[in-house]
Amino acid sequence: MTSHASGDGRVLLIGFDLGHGETAICTAWSESRDEPRVAALPRSGKGSGKSYPTAVALLTGPSQQHPTRTVIGGACFARRPRERVLEFYSTFKSADLEDGGRTQRAVELFVAHVVRELIGLSETDDAPHDVIVISADTPTRWLFGTPSGWSLQQREAYRDLLAGLCPGEVEVLPESRAALLYGRESRDLPNPLDLLEGDTVARLTSVVIDLGSSTADYTIVTGLSAHPDTGNNALGASLIDRELMRRSGEDHDDRDRLLEALEVPGSRAHLEYQCRLLKEQFFTDVDPLEPDLTTSRRTVEVKTSAGERIDVDIRLTSDVLDDITNAPLTALNGASWREAFRDDLERVKAKLDDEGPDLVMMTGGASRMHFAQDIAREVFGESRVVLGAEPEYAIAKGLVIAGRTRTRVEGFRKDLKDFAASGRIESIVDEKLPELAGTLGTVMTENIVEEHVIPAVLRWRTGELDLVSDIETEVARTRENYLSSRAFRSRVESEAEDWSKRVSALVDTRTAEICRTWDIPPGALSLSRPFVPRSASPVGSYSDLAVENLNTIGKAAVGAVAYVAGVIGMVAVGVSLNPVGAAVAAVVGVVVLVIAAVRGKEEAMRYARTRPMPGLLRKLVSERHLLGKIRAKTAEDSTEETAAAEFATTFLSEQRDEIIRLVGATVREHLETAARYTELLIQPEEGPVAHE
């Protein structure tokens, strides 16, 4: 016997896989990394191991002090006088709680009994080792699964019902999510599954096939979202049990008396249950390479309404199984079990792209049937069809893992929230902003002399411009055209993107530490190397945000450049920071040398600036000498460098606060979105439904 008690703030997670046909329960502590443990309940009936039929019976009690008692699982199928059975329910899980009260009543009886067994049982030395005992004061979180196709309203109603039966917190979440989490973390699967490790899950297309005794549930998981199929509520392994029972009755020596006995509900339920146990034994014992060598058989005693006993011999071989699963069944509208299952999988496959799924995971006890595995492999070709060593516990273990994941997510969320609120993002941007300002200043002013001033001087020298002062106007015009061009914008975007990568790398260093603390792949939150889900994934908006995040940060800088240019003027940026002024001064200086001797230096200066010059005078000094003087003057004064520095100063003065605000908000938005999809590997839009 194992006792669960906690005084250290930990929460005991209880994965309660209340299936339509069978039930399993697993437990683990919220802070533990151990494999979830399968819980066996006492008095749930023999022969079922640690999973048991979803069945509950209310019986007359042994005394007036105990007028009634409840039994669950295989114990419900024991042979009892009819008058002792007050209520009996099996295969009762349903999204419809308004079905006359049957489902609600059955769930109440079943779950309440399990809770009493787990929490109210006294510890004794002779109790089985696998029996779980939970102290009454232990903090608990009960995690139940539902088919992916249940609506949010149905899950909320189911949660509300369960919350009144279980002490502690109750959470309801899709079974498909539990299956994928089981595949990612459970040690039951190979390695565990490499395909579900790290950020590859965001690009994965999976199919989860949950085969139970009463239903088959199919879910397509694309990227980070689940898309439930309608499933098949008629296709369950119990059809095989019933057909085996029918054939055993047809072949019986005392057929008529046996069929009469099976009219008694308890006798029929008992024989069908024994057929199920025999089938499970067959698939446990059979060698898939030599199935013909395996024969499972047992003799079952059935009582008539008069209390007479009839022995029924049940026998299952590979040939009998093939015959049963290939026979047309009324419950399947004349299709055989194999045909119906294959048709279901073909329908699921048709909803996928031509490449098919990356992974097919089979869960549920019925997935042990080797022929079902073979059909799945035939339909999905080379895709990976996998199931754990104990597929009947996959959902229960996955539910526990989902609860443990939530604990990690809560810690992860808190650390991320604290980081976002700490101001560290803004500090990083502030520290790196002078680099951006200096780079953009260089982009704004570099090559003004060669690409704008000198061409304007040459136009003046050839007479295309009248006055020396027209050089300044011409440079302003060509410079404004350049600053409005796509080439200039591309250059600014490129420099801003390089800067944003350096900022992102610093942010990534801190978020990677947070991810490692909570065993989350660092790449999931990366700004500089975002992972990209499949384009077909419904979370493409997250992919767009991640991929464009660097551009968004860069665009903040580009927009700031335009803003600053508007404030100080395109002409001011390109001209008044004085590379043009130096060029005009050089031209005037040359002209003054020519005419100063005739009219005096002061008159020469005034003439040079305000009067058109004859072409001969303009060309009196060689082009080489004139341009050399301009280049020497601008180099001596460091005019381009000075202009760049002044632009950087203006840029920081006007835009520092706005860029810090905008980039900080962009980074936080990215981290929030990335965290939302990272924390829940499989999550329909409405998320898990919890009740505290």
Side-chain angles (χ1 to χ4, degrees):
M1 173 173 288
T2 300
S3 177
H4 283 318
S6 172
D8 56 6
R10 295 183 301 166
V11 175
L12 183 64
L13 306 173
I14 304 170
F16 201 140
D17 179 21
L18 175 55
H20 187 63
E22 56 187 297
T23 292
I25 297 174
C26 291
T27 63
W29 290 108
S30 56
E31 303 297 332
S32 170
R33 299 305 305 275
D34 296 336
E35 183 78 4
R37 181 165 180 206
V38 180
L41 298 177
R43 298 187 293 274
S44 61
K46 297 180 180 180
S48 295
K50 289 178 284 187
S51 67
Y52 32 92
T54 303
V56 60
L58 182 67
L59 311 175
T60 58
S63 65
Q64 291 183 346
Q65 289 78 14
H66 301 90
T68 61
R69 63 185 291 255
T70 303
V71 294
I72 64 171
C76 296
F77 302 103
R79 295 185 298 273
R80 297 184 180 89
R82 294 184 61 180
E83 60 271 15
R84 285 203 58 202
V85 182
L86 302 176
E87 297 180 51
F88 173 79
Y89 307 95
S90 66
T91 58
F92 51 77
K93 184 174 181 179
S94 171
D96 182 13
L97 297 180
E98 305 297 328
D99 59 352
R102 177 184 181 276
T103 296
Q104 180 169 334
R105 174 60 174 166
V107 170
E108 288 173 345
L109 284 173
F110 189 92
V111 174
H113 178 79
V114 171
V115 171
R116 287 195 300 270
E117 290 281 276
L118 290 176
I119 296 179
L121 186 70
S122 301
E123 293 189 54
T124 59
D125 292 337
D126 60 349
H129 174 73
D130 289 329
V131 170
I132 301 295
V133 176
I134 303 171
S135 300
D137 58 350
T138 299
T140 55
R141 180 185 300 163
W142 302 74
L143 300 114
F144 291 82
T146 65
S148 300
W150 283 26
S151 69
L152 175 60
Q153 292 73 23
Q154 289 169 331
R155 290 166 59 196
E156 286 178 338
Y158 189 53
R159 184 249 358 245
D160 292 342
L161 171 61
L162 296 169
L165 303 171
C166 301
E169 182 181 355
V170 173
E171 185 173 332
V172 174
L173 63 157
E175 291 163 353
S176 57
R177 181 186 171 214
L180 264 292
L181 288 172
Y182 163 78
R184 189 189 70 172
E185 296 192 17
S186 176
R187 300 185 185 98
D188 289 350
L189 291 165
N191 274 334
L193 294 179
D194 293 338
L195 285 173
L196 295 175
E197 286 293 325
D199 57 21
T200 56
V201 70
R203 299 185 293 271
L204 191 70
T205 294
S206 309
V207 173
V208 178
I209 302 171
D210 188 17
L211 278 180
S213 64
S214 300
T215 61
D217 188 36
Y218 314 106
T219 302
I220 298 171
V221 184
T222 306
L224 302 170
S225 294
H227 313 284
D229 184 83
T230 54
N232 192 330
N233 291 330
L235 183 66
S238 61
L239 291 177
I240 299 174
D241 309 337
R242 292 170 193 161
E243 183 64 12
L244 179 60
M245 178 179 68
R246 187 190 68 78
R247 294 181 179 222
S248 298
E250 290 289 339
D251 297 336
H252 197 272
D253 293 338
D254 199 352
R255 175 179 175 276
D256 292 340
R257 200 159 65 99
L258 174 60
L259 293 179
E260 179 185 348
L262 293 181
E263 293 298 320
V264 178
S267 295
R268 172 174 290 276
H270 173 66
L271 182 57
E272 182 178 334
Y273 178 57
Q274 294 299 319
C275 289
R276 169 181 171 172
L277 295 181
L278 182 71
K279 179 198 66 184
E280 292 174 353
Q281 177 188 334
F282 177 84
F283 284 108
T284 299
D285 297 341
V286 70
D287 182 348
L289 299 179
E290 295 181 300
D292 295 340
L293 301 181
T294 302
T295 298
S296 295
R297 66 190 313 162
R298 66 175 58 190
T299 300
V300 180
E301 188 179 86
V302 177
K303 286 187 177 182
T304 66
S305 58
E308 299 174 335
R309 298 182 178 182
I310 303 175
D311 289 337
V312 181
D313 183 49
I314 313 172
R315 179 172 173 272
L316 186 60
T317 66
S318 179
D319 289 341
V320 172
L321 180 68
D322 287 345
D323 196 26
I324 288 176
T325 55
N326 284 310
L329 299 175
T330 302
L332 298 176
N333 297 319
S336 71
W337 203 103
R338 293 176 186 251
E339 289 172 340
F341 184 53
R342 185 182 295 275
D343 289 346
D344 283 354
L345 297 191
E346 292 287 0
R347 186 187 70 248
V348 171
K349 182 182 178 182
K351 297 181 179 181
L352 305 171
D353 57 31
D354 293 338
E355 296 179 2
D358 301 290
L359 175 71
V360 177
M361 181 179 294
M362 300 184 69
T363 64
S367 63
R368 284 183 179 274
M369 299 188 301
H370 303 296
F371 72 87
Q373 300 169 29
D374 292 339
I375 292 174
R377 292 189 176 96
E378 290 167 7
V379 170
F380 294 109
E382 299 301 319
S383 301
R384 298 182 62 182
V385 177
V386 298
L387 70 162
E390 297 177 308
E392 58 268 38
Y393 307 134
I395 300 302
K397 287 186 176 183
L399 290 169
V400 172
I401 293 170
R404 194 157 58 192
T405 299
R406 176 180 162 184
T407 299
R408 288 162 52 196
V409 163
E410 289 170 349
F412 164 70
R413 275 287 192 173
K414 181 179 183 303
D415 284 358
L416 194 61
K417 181 179 179 181
D418 290 347
F419 170 64
S422 68
R424 181 56 183 151
I425 296 172
E426 286 75 11
S427 295
I428 290 172
V429 176
D430 194 25
E431 291 168 8
K432 304 299 289 184
L433 199 54
E435 293 182 14
L436 177 64
T439 299
L440 295 179
T442 299
V443 172
M444 292 290 290
T445 60
E446 67 181 352
N447 297 324
I448 288 180
V449 173
E450 294 297 331
E451 296 180 4
H452 298 275
V453 173
I454 288 179
V457 169
L458 293 177
R459 291 191 66 194
W460 169 81
R461 191 169 182 272
T462 59
E464 295 180 55
L465 302 177
D466 288 338
L467 305 176
V468 172
S469 58
D470 289 341
I471 296 174
E472 185 170 347
T473 303
E474 174 65 7
V475 171
R477 184 187 66 78
T478 61
R479 189 65 179 163
E480 185 171 357
N481 289 341
Y482 172 68
L483 294 178
S484 302
S485 69
R486 181 59 197 165
F488 170 73
R489 184 176 181 84
S490 296
R491 177 74 187 280
V492 172
E493 288 176 348
S494 176
E495 296 293 347
E497 182 178 348
D498 289 343
W499 173 79
S500 68
K501 287 180 180 178
R502 294 192 292 274
V503 171
S504 298
L506 292 175
V507 176
D508 288 348
T509 300
R510 179 65 188 110
T511 58
E513 294 174 1
I514 296 173
C515 289
R516 280 190 288 269
T517 298
W518 299 102
D519 296 323
I520 295 172
L525 295 183
S526 175
L527 295 171
S528 53
R529 293 181 305 280
F531 68 85
V532 185
R534 271 180 186 256
S535 58
S537 170
V539 298
S541 58
Y542 164 63
S543 170
D544 294 341
L545 175 64
V547 172
E548 294 180 1
N549 186 64
L550 296 176
N551 287 338
T552 303
I553 297 176
K555 287 173 184 176
V558 174
V561 171
Y563 177 81
V564 173
V567 171
I568 66 177
M570 286 290 189
V571 175
V573 171
V575 179
S576 65
L577 296 178
N578 214 23
V580 179
V584 173
V587 175
V588 171
V590 173
V591 174
V592 167
L593 290 176
V594 176
I595 63 176
V598 179
R599 301 190 179 186
K601 186 173 182 180
E602 185 176 330
E603 176 65 19
M605 289 289 290
R606 185 166 50 253
Y607 182 86
R609 288 184 177 276
T610 60
R611 300 284 297 277
M613 296 183 186
L616 184 62
L617 186 59
R618 298 182 190 210
K619 296 181 179 179
L620 189 63
V621 178
S622 69
E623 178 181 313
R624 179 180 178 184
H625 180 74
L626 178 60
L627 300 185
K629 194 169 182 63
I630 293 172
R631 290 187 176 107
K633 177 63 175 174
T634 55
E636 177 184 346
D637 294 344
S638 300
T639 50
E640 289 187 1
E641 292 79 0
T642 301
E646 292 183 8
F647 174 86
T649 299
T650 304
F651 180 83
L652 291 173
S653 174
E654 298 288 344
Q655 288 292 292
R656 181 187 290 270
D657 292 343
E658 178 63 14
I659 289 185
I660 290 174
R661 184 198 66 77
L662 181 58
V663 174
T666 300
V667 171
R668 280 192 295 274
E669 180 184 2
H670 171 88
L671 294 179
E672 172 67 23
T673 305
R676 187 164 64 251
Y677 288 106
T678 299
E679 67 191 29
L680 302 176
L681 297 178
I682 275 259
Q683 184 61 55
E685 291 182 1
E686 65 268 18
V689 178
H691 185 283
E692 300 185 15

